[in-house]
């Protein structure tokens, strides 16, 4: 059942969108205003295949839906769009969200040309939602789901961190003291082992995919009210059935690691 969870979520996510099945339509909904300098509204692009499939005596069709925040600042939009279009790491350079969605549907239609009896539809569902919005910190979570046949969908959850004041991406190295990555990793491993109910010396070979049996942090992070949170995707460190794995390092553990006056600084 768990393998179908992400697919069910994606189907529900698409079902909540407008059912106006016009290829390449953009839907502007959910206007959001903020006391901060940034304001945004959620927009969407939807592309539907014109090649229906009959499943359980009902017509269904391949769908590509991308939901994204549209900010008043064009530079922020350009950054967010560039990051979302890289989520799937397809190697293609799409100019617009619509190009991205249309190419996915075209791939299905081309496939159906040679496989007319193919009994399934495909789904591309991407939703980028704002997680944190501050004058100098914007964090989004991009949820990517792609099902094009097989036992289960492929899914990727990616945090996007941006400074709307300097218009620069926020990388982990910019938040910690030089040379402190090893210390940060050691702190994170203790928390990880506690979360996973592992002893300090237990091997990571069984049940985990860490290279050379060595714990490692990735660069998929966000800063929350509780601290520095990392997210590991399905298949990244565990089998798909376990889904995502989150790890939060409290601010109290970052006092000697965080750069002064950074997002991780206790006084910030």
């Amino acid at each position: 059942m768990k393998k179908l969870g992400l697919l069910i979520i994606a189907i529900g996510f698409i079902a909540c969108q407008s059912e106006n099945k016009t290829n390449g339509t953009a839907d502007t909904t959910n206007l959001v205003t903020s006391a901060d300098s940034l304001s945004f509204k959620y927009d969407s692009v939807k592309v539907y295949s014109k090649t229906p499939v009959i499943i359980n005596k009902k017509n269904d069709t391949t769908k590509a839906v991308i939901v994204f925040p549209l900010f008043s600042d064009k530079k922020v939009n350009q950054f967010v769009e560039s990051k979302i279009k890289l989520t799937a790491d397809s190697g293609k350079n799409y100019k617009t969200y619509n190009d991205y969605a249309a190419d996915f549907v075209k791939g299905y239609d081309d496939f159906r040309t040679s496989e007319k009896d193919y009994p399934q539809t495909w789904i591309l569902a991407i939703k980028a939602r704002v997680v944190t919005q501050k004058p100098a910190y914007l964090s989004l979570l991009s949820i990517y789901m792609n099902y094009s046949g097989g036992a289960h969908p492929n899914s990727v959850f990616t945090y996007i961190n941006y400074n709307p004041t300097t218009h620069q991406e926020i990388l982990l190295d910019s938040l910690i003291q030089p040379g402190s990555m090893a210390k940060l990793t050691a702190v994170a491993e203790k928390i990880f082992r506690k979360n996973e109910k592992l002893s300090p010396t237990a091997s990571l070979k069984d049940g985990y995919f860490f290279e050379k049996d060595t714990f490692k942090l990735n660069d998929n992070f966000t800063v929350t009210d509780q601290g520095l949170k990392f997210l590991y995707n399905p298949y990244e460190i565990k089998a798909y059935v376990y889904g995502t794995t989150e790890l939060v390092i409290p601010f109290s553990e970052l006092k000697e690691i965080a750069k002064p006056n950074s997002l991780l600084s206790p006084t910030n």
Side-chain angles (χ1 to χ4, degrees), residues 23 48-52 61 105 109:
N23 277 12
Y48 300 81
S49 171
K50 295 180 179 179
T51 308
T61 189
V105 172
D109 289 338

Side-chain angles (χ1 to χ4, degrees), residues 52 56 109 114 120 130 157 175 193 203 225 229 248 252 260:
N56 296 326
D109 289 338
S114 59
Q120 293 179 318
V130 175
F157 299 77
L175 302 179
R193 288 179 176 273
S203 172
D225 292 338
K229 181 167 79 172
V248 178
S252 59

Side-chain angles (χ1 to χ4, degrees), residues 28-251:
T28 303
T29 57
N30 301 334
L31 179 64
V32 179
T33 58
S34 170
D36 298 327
S37 60
L38 289 174
S39 62
F40 69 92
K41 58 188 176 183
Y42 283 107
D43 202 353
S44 66
V45 165
K46 307 164 192 175
V47 178
Y48 300 81
S49 171
K50 295 180 179 179
T51 308
V53 174
I54 298 177
I55 301 176
N56 296 326
K57 298 182 180 180
K58 293 183 179 180
N59 283 340
D60 196 6
T61 189
T62 286
K63 312 169 185 68
V65 180
I66 304 176
V67 179
F68 53 93
L70 190 62
F71 291 89
S72 56
D73 191 319
K74 292 183 179 180
K75 288 186 178 180
V76 179
N77 290 329
Q78 290 172 354
F79 171 78
V80 172
E81 183 173 356
S82 69
K83 299 299 288 187
I84 292 175
K85 288 187 295 187
L86 286 174
T87 301
D89 194 24
S90 64
K92 296 183 179 180
N93 185 20
Y94 300 110
K95 291 183 178 180
T96 66
Y97 290 118
N98 191 77
D99 289 345
Y100 190 171
D103 187 61
F104 176 84
V105 172
K106 181 179 183 299
Y108 173 80
D109 289 338
D110 290 347
F111 177 77
R112 279 295 305 278
T113 299
S114 59
E115 301 290 338
K116 298 183 184 299
D117 296 327
Y118 184 72
Q120 293 179 318
T121 57
W122 293 0
I123 298 173
L124 174 68
I126 302 175
K127 183 174 183 179
R129 63 179 180 87
V130 175
V131 176
T132 302
Q133 185 187 21
K134 297 180 179 180
Y137 182 47
L138 178 65
S139 180
L140 298 92
L141 177 61
S142 175
I143 304 171
Y144 166 92
M145 198 287 298
N146 177 324
Y147 180 76
S148 52
H152 55 73
N154 296 315
S155 57
V156 180
F157 299 77
T158 306
Y159 282 111
I160 300 170
N161 300 289
Y162 185 72
N163 187 330
T165 302
T166 62
H167 292 291
Q168 292 181 329
E169 182 176 8
I170 298 175
L171 303 176
L172 184 59
D173 284 346
S174 69
L175 302 179
I176 63 176
Q177 299 277 13
S180 63
M181 190 62 198
K183 185 181 293 186
L184 178 64
T185 302
V187 171
E189 182 172 3
K190 289 182 180 179
I191 296 172
F192 177 81
R193 288 179 176 273
K194 181 180 179 181
N195 292 346
E196 298 292 311
K197 297 179 174 57
L198 298 173
S199 72
T201 58
S203 172
L204 297 176
K205 289 182 180 179
D206 298 328
Y208 301 96
F209 304 151
F210 291 111
E211 187 176 353
K212 298 181 180 179
D213 192 24
T214 302
F215 175 83
K216 185 178 181 180
L217 285 170
N218 61 18
D219 57 1
N220 193 12
F221 74 92
T222 187
V223 181
T224 72
D225 292 338
Q226 289 73 44
L228 178 60
K229 181 167 79 172
F230 290 87
L231 185 151
Y232 295 93
N233 277 289
Y235 282 136
E236 188 173 358
I237 62 170
K238 295 179 185 178
Y240 177 86
V241 68
Y242 295 106
T244 60
T245 301
E246 295 184 350
L247 186 157
V248 178
I249 304 176
F251 290 117

Side-chain angles (χ1 to χ4, degrees), residues 1-8 147 151-153 235 239-242:
M1 291 294 293
K2 192 146 186 177
K3 289 185 178 181
L4 296 176
L6 290 172
L7 180 57
I8 293 171
Y147 180 76
H152 55 73
Y235 282 136
Y240 177 86
V241 68
Y242 295 106

